[in-house]
Amino acid sequence: GEFQRNYTSSRTFGNRAGQPDTLQTDDELRPAQTLAFAQAEAELPGAVIATLGLSYNRVRYNFVRLSMRPNNPQQRLFEPVVLPRVSLLKRFGTLASVFASVSTGYSAPTSQEVLSSNGVFNAQLQPERGVSY
């Protein structure tokens, strides 16, 4: 498994003839991601190898705009997901084999998407999911 935590500080200033001017925004973004995974493999009769995998994904974003008083901390917690993977490998002697796999994928919005360059915290974004064959 793995756990990742990040801290991003972003400050935006006005521009006066090419020089930084008044502070416009002072933001902190703290993403956290938890990932746990397991995989099992079994050799079946007929020179077939089966692989089963499972992963658990959880992503959270904490955001606060320090330049506003009072601060209004916001959080976006994506619903945790469990993702399966199944594959089969059939060997035909030592020189040939056939492989088939079905797996699911998950991608939460990135820090740059959640807090884009326009300075808006977008808590409405949804993760992408897909199936790979």
Side-chain angles (χ1 to χ4, degrees):
E2 79 183 45
F3 175 77
Q4 297 177 10
R5 179 143 190 160
N6 189 9
Y7 169 78
T8 301
S9 175
S10 173
R11 293 185 180 99
T12 305
F13 294 87
N15 184 342
R16 185 180 299 263
Q19 297 299 315
D21 195 23
T22 33
L23 179 67
Q24 295 177 351
T25 61
D26 183 4
D27 300 334
E28 287 184 356
L29 182 65
R30 296 176 186 262
Q33 179 176 8
T34 304
L35 172 65
F37 49 89
Q39 180 171 300
E41 203 170 271
E43 186 139 353
L44 304 175
V48 174
I49 298 174
T51 304
L52 301 173
L54 202 61
S55 71
Y56 168 85
N57 295 268
R58 182 174 182 261
V59 178
R60 180 184 71 232
Y61 287 100
N62 292 323
F63 171 77
V64 64
R65 176 148 290 156
L66 299 170
S67 55
M68 296 190 71
R69 299 285 183 235
N71 310 62
N72 183 19
Q74 299 176 56
Q75 183 179 83
R76 175 64 162 105
L77 175 61
F78 295 98
E79 192 70 31
V81 294
V82 176
L83 304 166
R85 176 181 179 271
V86 177
S87 69
L88 294 172
L89 173 77
K90 167 66 174 150
R91 290 182 302 213
F92 297 98
T94 58
L95 299 176
S97 62
V98 173
F99 178 77
S101 174
V102 177
S103 60
T104 53
Y106 170 85
S107 178
T110 66
S111 296
Q112 291 77 21
E113 292 170 324
V114 172
L115 181 60
S116 60
S117 61
N118 66 2
V120 175
F121 179 68
N122 189 344
Q124 304 306 312
L125 292 175
Q126 297 298 316
E128 295 177 346
R129 297 202 51 179
V131 179
S132 176
Y133 300 95

